[in-house]
Amino acid sequence: MNTEQKTDQPVIQMSDEERRNDRPSSTKEVAKDLEKRKETTGRPADIEKPTPLFPENEAANFRNRWTEIQAAFVDEPRRAVEQGDALVADVIKRLASSFADERSKLEGQWSRGDDVSTEDLRVALQRYRAFFDRLLSV
């Protein structure tokens, strides 16, 4: 019994060698291929949506503190700059702590011989990618 469906599209035959040659063979080529794919449609919806670096309530707290500091600049500019510096340091410390906690959790699982799910690793790598992209786009 023939189960092939007929279409109006021509069938393109490729040899195994042509298929291998069509695939990227190095990390550099994979990176180029990914750059090309960014310009296409059909990519997963979550690629463009940045992963939050902080829980919503914590981010709101940082923003509120910044607004207060900015408003205080008119009356006490030097103090506002000092407070701005302290707030930025707090945010950086909190971010570093968050990544260190996540890394420790994964390393703990690995040292116990536990399998870390691919999903946990995917989420961790997405957070690193979001942070990395943001650092380079500033």
Side-chain angles (χ1 to χ4, degrees), residues 116-134:
V116 179
S117 75
T118 303
E119 179 63 15
D120 288 343
L121 295 171
R122 184 185 72 79
V123 169
L125 191 59
Q126 277 185 327
R127 288 192 70 225
Y128 281 116
R129 180 187 68 201
F131 182 62
F132 181 77
D133 287 344
R134 289 175 189 170

Side-chain angles (χ1 to χ4, degrees), residues 75-87:
D75 295 327
E76 297 184 65
R78 180 178 177 163
R79 184 164 186 247
V81 169
E82 290 169 347
Q83 289 176 334
D85 178 67
L87 177 58

Side-chain angles (χ1 to χ4, degrees), residues 38-79:
K38 282 183 181 178
E39 299 167 5
T40 65
T41 59
R43 59 184 171 252
D46 67 345
I47 286 204
E48 294 300 320
K49 190 168 65 174
T51 305
L53 297 175
F54 297 104
E56 192 174 318
N57 63 332
E58 198 170 352
N61 179 282
F62 286 139
R63 285 188 188 98
N64 289 338
R65 287 174 59 191
W66 181 259
T67 300
E68 291 170 6
I69 290 167
Q70 200 168 351
F73 180 81
V74 173
D75 295 327
E76 297 184 65
R78 180 178 177 163
R79 184 164 186 247

